[in-house]
Amino acid sequence: MTTYVWDYLLEYESEKDDLLDAVRKVFSSGQLVLGESLKGFEDAFARYHGVGHAAGVDNGTNALKIGLEALGVGPGDEVITVSNTAAPTVVAIVETGATPVFVDVREEDFLMDTGQVEAAISPRTKVILPVHLYGQCVDMAGLRRLADRHGLKILEDCAQAHGARRHGRLAGTMGDAAAFSFYPTKVLGAYGDGGAVITSDPETDRAVRQLRYYGMDDSYYVVRSPGHNSRLDEVQAEILRRKLGRLDAYIAGRRAVARRYEQELSDLTGPDGLVLPSPAPGNDHVHYVYVVRHPERDAILDALRKRDISLNISYPWPVHTMSGFAHLGYSEGDLPVTEKLAGEIFSLPMYPSLPEALQSRIIAAAREVLKSL
């Protein structure tokens, strides 16, 4: 049997009664869109983060796009972000009509190199979009000071960092607004697509709610354009409301798997060997994915595939090198750390219900392959 980097079926078996009850509750409620389940989830998600507002949307990409638009981003503007991210981060910027401007990442933790941001600021810059990657947070204190000095807004991309903290502060609470994805693989995942934007600013929240609903306020009268049809449906909202109460348990499960990987693979690390994840100082890592590095990455993946262990690369192609973004004018060599990492990183299976027997199989196979190099 092939072992994959992620699987939801064991979690579903353990939570099935609650999940199916959530579906029954919504189907018998008489309201399938913008109902009490969505309001209940939004209120609970805002409370979890200690912010004033949370608005559910239909997916994480639209959470980013609508979050950017709510902060005033539009055609002609620039948004500073990274290329070492999932393509939706950049897709969302482009869809607003703005231009993504990339800075490189830090080799030690793959996060935005905030020391490069100031040089990337231009008169057209409107927002800085840090990506809290793989389960830990960017250095937000320095970024906040920089943004304030230049009169810029910050939208946090928290798609991979539900529950992560930096110096005690939750991801999503250190900028002007934050966008979340609830794609099924996420630390807090739905059983389909979903997203949310959180903020403590009531005007930003009002803009998000208008934008997700055609630009309308509380009627069929459009007050903001362009608006979108981007609502989180009641079924996913009710599932997420219930799963939110288990979020800290999910994180604890991920950390337990990460500890075992570290304990049983650390003797194979070295400058020219395996490099395990390195949490930045002050970060509480939630291990959305367990990303490791090795200069012989492709040979390792091929050897593990022959042992029926199929692993993932997050991400094999830096966004700035993709043909779909050639119009941005970047070339290979422009972001050297990002490009180096793309040839070395890969992800070991990581989810809280990963059975210990499968962990043992993965570790044994990885050790065998690494020792053979």
Side-chain angles (χ1 to χ4, degrees):
M1 183 179 69
T2 301
T3 298
Y4 295 103
V5 75
W6 177 80
D7 192 327
Y8 76 93
L9 291 174
L10 285 173
E11 178 182 287
Y12 172 69
E13 283 301 319
S14 69
E15 301 181 354
K16 179 165 57 176
D17 290 346
D18 189 41
L19 294 169
L20 294 180
D21 183 66
V23 176
R24 283 191 292 268
K25 175 184 176 181
V26 171
F27 284 0
S28 62
S29 70
Q31 188 162 10
L32 301 178
V33 179
L34 296 179
E36 289 304 310
S37 288
L38 176 59
K39 184 179 186 306
F41 171 66
E42 290 174 336
D43 290 347
F45 201 60
R47 281 196 306 273
Y48 180 89
H49 289 90
V51 299
H53 311 279
V57 297
D58 57 343
N59 59 63
T61 308
N62 282 339
L64 287 164
K65 179 174 71 173
I66 289 172
L68 288 167
E69 290 175 340
L71 293 176
V73 172
D77 293 329
E78 291 179 351
V79 176
I80 298 172
T81 191
V82 293
S83 177
N84 183 40
T85 183
T89 304
V90 183
V91 168
I93 297 170
V94 172
E95 285 191 351
T96 69
T99 299
V101 175
F102 298 118
V103 296
D104 215 341
V105 296
R106 294 157 32 119
E107 189 164 358
E108 59 268 33
D109 53 27
F110 318 146
L111 298 170
M112 173 184 273
D113 185 344
T114 57
Q116 296 187 20
V117 172
E118 188 158 29
I121 295 172
S122 81
R124 296 170 57 194
T125 305
K126 183 67 69 72
V127 166
I128 303 171
L129 202 169
V131 180
H132 298 318
L133 197 69
Y134 303 152
Q136 63 171 331
C137 299
V138 172
D139 173 13
M140 291 299 295
L143 207 58
R144 179 76 271 174
R145 290 192 295 271
L146 178 65
D148 290 345
R149 190 161 68 246
H150 288 272
L152 304 176
K153 300 290 188 180
I154 296 177
L155 176 68
E156 299 174 63
D157 183 341
C158 299
Q160 303 186 11
H162 309 72
R165 294 177 184 268
R166 182 167 180 83
H167 299 302
R169 295 191 64 180
L170 278 166
T173 66
M174 297 173 277
D176 296 281
F180 289 81
S181 168
F182 304 121
Y183 186 73
T185 62
K186 303 303 184 185
V187 180
L188 178 62
Y191 276 70
D193 273 314
V197 180
I198 68 172
T199 182
S200 286
D201 177 50
E203 289 305 311
T204 300
D205 178 65
R206 184 182 182 197
V208 169
R209 292 175 185 276
Q210 292 169 342
L211 288 162
R212 76 175 179 183
Y213 190 52
Y214 308 110
M216 298 174 181
D217 221 335
D218 293 322
S219 68
Y220 286 106
Y221 188 89
V222 173
V223 296
R224 184 184 296 269
S225 183
H228 312 284
N229 178 7
S230 181
R231 299 161 295 197
L232 179 63
D233 75 75
E234 285 288 283
V235 170
Q236 300 302 339
E238 182 62 27
I239 289 172
L240 288 165
R241 186 186 68 80
R242 297 180 185 216
K243 291 188 71 176
L244 180 59
R246 300 189 282 270
L247 176 56
D248 291 343
Y250 297 150
I251 292 170
R254 289 174 177 273
R255 286 174 173 158
V257 176
R259 281 194 300 272
R260 187 169 181 203
Y261 282 150
E262 184 174 6
Q263 290 165 1
E264 301 199 32
L265 296 174
S266 60
D267 63 308
L268 300 175
T269 61
D272 298 315
L274 187 68
V275 179
L276 298 177
S278 176
N283 271 350
D284 294 326
H285 207 311
V286 296
H287 297 287
Y288 165 59
V289 282
Y290 193 85
V291 177
V292 301
R293 291 175 57 191
H294 197 288
E296 300 295 326
R297 187 267 311 279
D298 293 342
I300 293 168
L301 292 187
D302 185 58
L304 289 172
R305 200 173 297 114
K306 292 173 182 175
R307 291 163 171 79
D308 289 328
I309 296 175
S310 181
L311 302 185
N312 190 42
I313 303 173
S314 302
Y315 301 95
W317 303 285
V319 173
H320 73 284
T321 67
M322 295 179 181
S323 61
F325 298 109
H327 65 284
L328 298 177
Y330 288 87
S331 303
E332 289 192 22
D334 287 343
L335 301 171
V337 177
T338 295
E339 293 165 29
K340 178 182 178 182
L341 292 175
E344 297 182 354
I345 56 178
F346 61 103
S347 304
L348 299 182
M350 171 56 73
Y351 48 98
S353 58
L354 182 65
E356 289 190 7
L358 277 183
Q359 294 175 38
S360 297
R361 181 168 173 258
I362 294 159
I363 291 165
R367 290 186 64 83
E368 181 183 351
V369 169
L370 288 165
K371 286 184 174 181
S372 70
L373 295 175

